């Protein structure tokens, strides 16, 4: 009995022990499995899981920096960036590409089939449509489609539309400058776009926008004056259309600071719609096109000869009765004798001053012949020809051939602005030397007061610079070719130019087309503006004195009126179409646009009137010449700002016009009728 009891208890004890051991083993196995699973998840495939988690809850987004603004010298915005939305997709997160494409295609105006194919790509990110309007962005956001999101980007806007279009250039879809100032100073303007990690919701949308203020690009302040730019563009556009030219350009520089104040080209280019224009239109020709300058080059050659004491003001040259044939120089395929003509005008002996005033090609050729190729070429290099002006824009260096390549024909032709090529920018730089008493001063397009009018090199003596300016005055006010550039009461130094253009590729020599130009400095006795005008691809009967000089006159007169530098003049009632009596110049208090109405700017100077409208963000059209406003449209008191049904202010669109009084022409213009002719 006793032994059986012991045996039963031992058996019961063994079974309990076995159960404990079994349970312990099970727990150990489960514990090992859990630790093994944790090890597998954390160590073996942990990095992969973490990456998957990040893809689900975080997104790497390119934060596009806001591009810096571009301003004129007075703080007017010429280019700025505004926020826009772009549509992107994460194809790997889209479970039903066909449905997504069917929903988005009509909203984005895309082909449904092609969109579906794109959404089926094995890619983590694709752009669907860049820089869309707000209404489209709102509609896409309301669809709540998985894998579809909106990103903030910036679009470049040019508030003044075509104003200085070729100079400003434009920006591509990826915020990169492609032409003009936008391209040349892209590194300054573009800022620092960067990738940042942003949390997103279940639909794949960013939970918040990233602030990019710290990465914003720097602003640029140009030396351009919006008002002078407007004047230059208005006048050159009329001249190109009237004379049926291919294109025209104007540069205005401030002689006292060497700043470029206006950079105008026509046909116009509106960078807001750059895709609608060809490269021929948006090309910045005033810096990029090197052309033979023609007779506007002559004052510079005269200055070089005077500086090197090869001639003086009274030196005379025989101008061969208007035709000079050099039998020993053969040109062209036909080996014809090299002949220089004075365009039908017959002169005999002329002094240096008369050669410049009458624009004698023969006289100028004999001056360069006397100088020789070595001195002539070195002098051109000293003035900056053959090299870029380093203004910061993409520009041509022009053509000044190596000395070994100069033929006698090249030397003679250089005297009247052929056999070399120069940009409009280089021409302004060269004449800026004359305006600055013989010192070469660096031109600027970026406003930097610390570097204004810093001399780089003395090219002429002060005496030579002033002698040449005086001769250029004779071109305008004496018996020269520039009488159409005269401004009543103002001393004008100028030079006309008419350059033949090279013929077609299959012909040698020059064709029938011409480039007419005029360069002037006003006032000649205290230089303020240097203005260069050119009209390109004109017919063979076109001349700078006839076509370009009047353009200069109007631009110079209106520019001086704007800056308040025109002298007091008498306004003739017979010339004034807008008032029946002589304008009474009574002082007035400064007007401003207040209470939403147009102020009265009549009897104000043009400068003050433009300042008033400028404060309101308007550029009025200027009609007529003169210094004072005699009529305005719309009239004073016209409502400009009204309130809509929501009591919000809105601006009524108006075309603003200012009519100027016209100065009386002098009774005797001093023209001598003998030896009358047109310049070459």
């Amino acid at each position: 009995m006793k032994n059986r009891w012991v045996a039963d208890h031992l058996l019961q004890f063994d079974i309990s022990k076995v159960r404990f051991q079994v349970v312990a083993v099970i727990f150990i196995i489960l514990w090992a499995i859990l630790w093994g699973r944790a090890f597998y998840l954390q160590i073996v495939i942990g990095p992969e899981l973490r990456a998957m988690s990040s893809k689900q809850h975080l997104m790497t987004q390119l934060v596009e920096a806001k591009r810096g603004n571009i301003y004129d010298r007075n703080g007017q915005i010429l280019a700025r960036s505004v926020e826009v939305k772009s549509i992107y997709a994460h194809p790997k997160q889209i479970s039903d590409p066909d449905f997504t494409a069917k929903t988005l295609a009509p909203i984005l105006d895309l082909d449904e089939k092609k969109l579906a194919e794109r959404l089926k790509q094995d890619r983590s990110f694709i752009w669907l449509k860049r820089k869309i309007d707000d209404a489209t962005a709102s509609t896409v956001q309301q669809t709540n489609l998985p894998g579809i999101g909106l990103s903030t980007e910036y679009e470049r806007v040019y508030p003044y539309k075509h104003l200085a279009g070729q100079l400003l250039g434009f920006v591509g879809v990826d915020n990169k400058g492609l032409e003009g100032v936008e391209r040349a100073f892209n590194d300054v303007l573009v800022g620092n776009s960067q990738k940042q990690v942003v949390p997103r919701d279940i639909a794949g949308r960013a939970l918040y926008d990233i602030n990019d203020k710290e990465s914003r690009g720097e602003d640029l302040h140009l030396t351009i004056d919006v008002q002078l730019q407007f004047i230059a563009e208005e006048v050159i556009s009329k001249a190109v259309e009237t004379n049926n030219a291919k294109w025209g350009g104007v540069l205005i520089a401030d002689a006292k600071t060497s700043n470029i104040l206006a950079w105008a080209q026509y046909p116009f280019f509106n960078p807001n719609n750059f895709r609608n224009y060809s490269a021929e239109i948006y090309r910045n020709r005033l810096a990029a096109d090197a052309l033979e300058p023609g007779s506007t080059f002559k004052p510079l050659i005269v200055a070089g000869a005077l500086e090197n004491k090869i001639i003086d003001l009274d030196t005379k040259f025989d101008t061969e009765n208007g035709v000079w044939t050099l039998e020993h120089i053969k040109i062209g395929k036909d080996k014809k004798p090299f002949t220089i003509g004075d365009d039908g005008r017959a002169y005999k002996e002329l002094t240096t001053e008369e050669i410049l005033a009458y624009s004698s090609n023969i006289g100028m050729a004999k001056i360069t012949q006397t100088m020789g190729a070595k001195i002539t070429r070195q002098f051109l290099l000293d003035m900056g020809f053959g090299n870029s002006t380093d203004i910061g824009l993409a520009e041509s260096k022009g053509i000044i051939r190596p000395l070994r390549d100069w033929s006698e024909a090249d030397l003679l032709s250089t005297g009247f602005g052929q056999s070399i090529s120069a940009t409009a920018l280089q021409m302004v730089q060269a004449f800026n030397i004359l305006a600055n008493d013989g010192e070469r001063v660096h031109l600027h397009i970026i406003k930097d007061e610390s570097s204004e009018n810093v001399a780089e090199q003395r090219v002429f003596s002060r005496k030579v610079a002033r002698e040449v300016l005086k001769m250029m005055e004779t071109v305008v006010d004496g018996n020269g070719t520039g009488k159409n550039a005269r401004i009543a009461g103002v001393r004008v130094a100028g030079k006309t130019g008419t350059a033949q253009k090279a013929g077609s590729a299959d012909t040698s020599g020059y064709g029938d087309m011409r480039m007419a130009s005029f360069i002037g400095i006003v006032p000649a006795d205290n230089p303020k503006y240097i203005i260069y005008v050119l009209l390109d691809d004109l017919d063979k009967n076109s001349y700078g004195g006839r076509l370009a000089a009047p353009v200069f006159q109007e631009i110079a007169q209106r520019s001086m009126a704007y800056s308040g530098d025109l002298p007091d003049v008498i306004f003739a009632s017979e010339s004034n179409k807008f008032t029946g009596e002589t304008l009474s110049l009574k002082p007035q208090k400064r007007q401003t646009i207040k209470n939403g109405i147009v102020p009265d700017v009549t009897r104000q100077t043009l400068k003050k009137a433009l300042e008033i409208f400028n404060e309101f963000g308007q550029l009025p059209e200027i009609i007529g010449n003169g210094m004072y406003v005699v009529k305005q449209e719309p009239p004073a008191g016209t409502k400009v700002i009204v309130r809509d049904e929501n009591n919000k202010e809105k601006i009524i669109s108006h075309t603003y016009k200012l009519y100027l009084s016209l100065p009386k022409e002098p009774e005797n213009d001093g023209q001598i009728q003998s030896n009358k002719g047109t310049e070459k």
Side-chain angles (χ1 to χ4, degrees):
M1 270 311 272
K2 187 177 179 179
N3 291 336
R4 185 171 180 178
W5 182 85
V6 171
D8 289 341
H9 276 77
L10 288 173
L11 179 62
Q12 190 176 18
F13 176 78
D14 290 338
I15 292 173
S16 298
K17 186 177 181 180
V18 169
R19 286 177 179 174
F20 175 78
Q21 291 174 341
V22 169
V23 171
V25 169
I26 291 173
F27 271 103
I28 290 171
I29 292 172
L30 291 175
W31 189 255
I33 290 173
L34 290 174
W35 273 103
R37 180 63 176 171
F39 178 83
Y40 177 75
L41 294 175
Q42 294 289 330
I43 306 301
V44 178
I45 65 171
E48 181 180 350
L49 293 176
R50 282 193 291 272
M52 292 173 63
S53 176
S54 295
K55 287 182 179 180
Q56 290 176 349
H57 302 289
L58 299 173
M59 65 183 296
T60 300
Q61 180 173 316
L62 178 65
V63 182
E64 183 179 297
K66 187 175 183 179
R67 196 173 178 88
N69 295 334
I70 301 177
Y71 298 89
D72 86 329
R73 66 184 301 104
N74 299 313
Q76 297 298 309
I77 293 182
L78 300 176
R80 62 188 177 92
S81 295
V82 296
E83 283 191 7
V84 291
K85 297 295 183 181
S86 293
I87 308 297
Y88 64 84
H90 295 290
K92 291 183 178 180
Q93 298 174 18
I94 299 175
S95 58
D96 191 344
D98 293 324
F99 174 77
T100 302
K102 184 177 181 180
T103 304
L104 288 179
I107 300 173
L108 301 180
D109 193 24
L110 297 174
D111 182 87
E112 181 181 336
K113 185 177 180 181
K114 291 181 179 179
L115 180 58
E117 291 175 356
R118 294 185 63 200
L119 295 176
K120 293 174 183 178
Q121 296 178 86
D122 186 21
R123 297 178 61 182
S124 58
F125 180 91
I126 58 172
W127 287 111
L128 297 185
K129 198 162 188 178
R130 306 283 293 275
K131 301 182 178 180
I132 60 176
D133 59 74
D134 292 342
T136 303
S138 177
T139 304
V140 170
Q141 191 170 27
Q142 291 172 11
T143 62
N144 280 323
L145 292 169
I148 303 299
L150 298 173
S151 177
T152 299
E153 293 192 287
Y154 293 96
E155 185 171 33
R156 206 61 164 165
V157 174
Y158 303 87
Y160 288 111
K161 300 179 181 178
H162 64 69
L163 198 80
Q166 287 90 348
L167 172 64
L168 293 173
F170 56 90
V171 174
V173 71
D174 291 315
N175 200 33
K176 182 178 180 181
L178 300 180
E179 289 291 339
V181 169
E182 296 279 25
R183 178 180 179 180
F185 298 94
N186 185 70
D187 291 344
V188 176
L189 291 163
V190 73
N192 298 311
S193 297
Q194 52 189 313
K195 291 182 178 180
Q196 294 190 17
V197 177
V198 185
R200 63 184 182 183
D201 60 19
I202 194 171
R205 296 184 294 264
L207 294 178
Y208 58 83
D209 290 330
I210 298 174
N211 191 336
D212 70 330
K213 290 183 179 179
E214 294 183 359
S215 59
R216 186 183 184 278
E218 294 181 30
D219 294 335
L220 273 185
H221 292 262
L222 303 186
T223 59
I224 296 297
D225 187 310
V226 162
Q227 303 297 347
L228 293 178
Q229 181 72 25
F230 174 79
I231 291 169
E233 289 192 2
E234 183 182 45
V235 179
I236 194 62
S237 64
K238 289 189 295 185
V240 170
E241 292 293 338
T242 301
N243 299 298
N244 197 31
K246 180 180 179 181
W247 74 280
V250 174
L251 283 175
I252 304 177
D254 186 334
K256 298 187 182 302
T257 62
S258 298
N259 289 333
I260 302 294
L261 301 177
W263 188 302
Q265 284 183 216
Y266 184 82
F268 294 138
F269 164 65
N270 185 347
N272 290 301
N273 306 308
F274 67 88
R275 294 179 182 84
N276 298 336
Y277 296 85
S278 66
E280 185 178 5
I281 300 299
Y282 64 67
R283 179 179 175 82
N284 194 0
R285 292 177 176 271
L286 295 174
D289 283 11
L291 305 168
E292 290 184 319
S295 293
T296 50
F297 205 67
K298 292 173 180 177
L300 304 174
I301 295 295
V302 169
L306 290 172
E307 181 67 22
N308 286 279
K309 302 188 185 315
I310 292 169
I311 61 172
D312 57 35
L313 297 181
D314 297 323
T315 302
K316 291 185 177 182
F317 291 91
D318 182 4
T319 57
E320 311 287 344
N321 277 325
V323 178
W324 187 26
T325 301
L326 294 93
E327 296 287 348
H328 66 285
I329 303 176
K330 307 296 183 182
I331 60 172
K333 295 179 180 179
D334 300 330
K335 300 297 181 182
K336 293 182 178 179
F338 183 56
T339 301
I340 302 173
D342 276 340
D343 210 17
R345 293 163 295 156
Y347 304 121
K348 293 184 179 180
E349 278 197 342
L350 296 176
T351 64
T352 301
E353 187 173 4
E354 290 171 333
I355 287 172
L356 194 59
Y358 301 149
S359 200
S360 169
N361 295 330
I362 297 171
M364 291 304 306
K366 290 194 174 184
I367 289 176
T368 52
Q369 185 184 53
T370 307
M371 289 176 68
K374 184 177 181 180
I375 294 176
T376 302
R377 182 179 182 276
Q378 184 57 50
F379 187 72
L380 297 181
L381 295 176
D382 290 343
M383 285 190 291
F385 295 105
N387 291 292
S388 66
T389 65
D390 291 329
I391 200 170
L393 301 172
E395 57 178 314
S396 170
K397 293 182 178 181
I399 299 175
I400 303 292
R401 287 191 290 271
L403 187 60
R404 63 178 178 273
D405 295 335
W406 277 50
S407 66
E408 186 177 357
D410 290 331
L411 174 61
L412 298 175
S413 299
T414 300
F416 47 89
Q418 294 185 354
S419 292
I420 63 164
S421 69
T423 65
L425 200 58
Q426 288 174 324
M427 291 293 290
V428 170
Q429 175 181 253
F431 278 86
N432 193 39
I433 299 173
L434 292 176
N436 280 277
D437 285 336
E439 290 186 324
R440 193 173 82 188
V441 181
H442 186 68
L443 295 176
H444 300 280
I445 194 66
I446 303 300
K447 192 175 180 182
D448 181 7
E449 295 180 359
S450 63
S451 61
E452 287 181 353
N453 241 35
V454 177
E456 298 176 333
Q457 176 186 351
R458 177 162 287 282
V459 182
F460 320 125
S461 68
R462 185 177 183 182
K463 178 185 177 183
V464 166
R466 296 194 172 188
E467 285 176 343
V468 174
L469 282 180
K470 186 64 178 176
M471 285 189 277
M472 290 173 64
E473 283 190 68
T474 305
V475 172
V476 176
D477 290 325
N479 189 32
T481 58
K483 62 184 179 66
N484 288 328
R486 294 173 183 167
I487 301 174
V490 179
R491 290 172 62 180
V492 179
K495 184 66 188 80
T496 55
T498 308
Q500 291 175 293
K501 300 202 68 178
S504 58
D506 57 349
T507 62
S508 61
Y510 294 92
D512 292 332
M513 303 307 288
R514 300 286 186 269
M515 183 188 77
S517 59
F518 187 93
I519 192 159
I521 299 173
V522 290
D525 52 333
N526 184 24
K528 167 82 183 233
Y529 295 121
I530 303 164
I531 303 174
Y532 184 50
V533 175
L534 64 88
L535 297 165
D536 196 23
D537 266 6
L538 299 156
D539 63 48
K540 63 182 180 180
N541 294 317
S542 302
Y543 296 94
R546 186 185 304 163
L547 304 184
V551 177
F552 165 87
Q553 181 201 48
E554 183 175 353
I555 292 174
Q557 188 164 297
R558 289 174 61 177
S559 297
M560 294 183 72
Y562 164 66
S563 61
D565 292 315
L566 267 185
D568 292 335
V569 293
I570 299 174
F571 297 98
S573 59
E574 64 268 22
S575 300
N576 194 332
K577 299 179 181 179
F578 318 117
T579 179
E581 56 185 32
T582 302
L583 183 64
S584 175
L585 305 180
K586 295 180 181 179
Q588 287 196 334
K589 294 182 179 180
R590 178 175 175 79
Q591 301 283 331
T592 57
I593 294 180
K594 293 181 178 179
N595 303 322
I597 62 172
V598 177
D600 183 4
V601 296
T602 57
R603 303 179 186 275
Q604 297 276 15
T605 64
L606 174 61
K607 180 180 180 181
K608 287 185 178 180
L610 289 175
E611 287 176 352
I612 292 169
F613 278 91
N614 194 39
E615 289 177 1
F616 188 57
Q618 299 295 328
L619 276 177
E621 180 183 353
I622 309 301
I623 300 175
N625 298 313
M627 188 174 178
Y628 294 89
V629 179
V630 294
K631 182 181 176 182
Q632 65 183 83
E633 290 181 4
T638 302
K639 286 188 176 181
V640 176
I641 300 175
V642 298
R643 294 186 178 275
D644 60 17
E645 60 275 6
N646 297 320
N647 202 34
K648 290 184 178 180
E649 289 186 348
K650 67 176 182 178
I651 299 175
I652 301 175
S653 177
H654 288 291
T655 299
Y656 299 92
K657 296 181 180 181
L658 300 180
Y659 295 85
L660 305 184
S661 52
L662 300 174
K664 181 190 291 184
E665 291 291 335
E667 295 180 2
N668 183 1
D669 61 8
Q671 181 180 357
I672 300 173
Q673 297 300 321
S674 61
N675 292 331
K676 185 178 179 182
T678 52
E679 98 293 349
K680 174 81 170 2

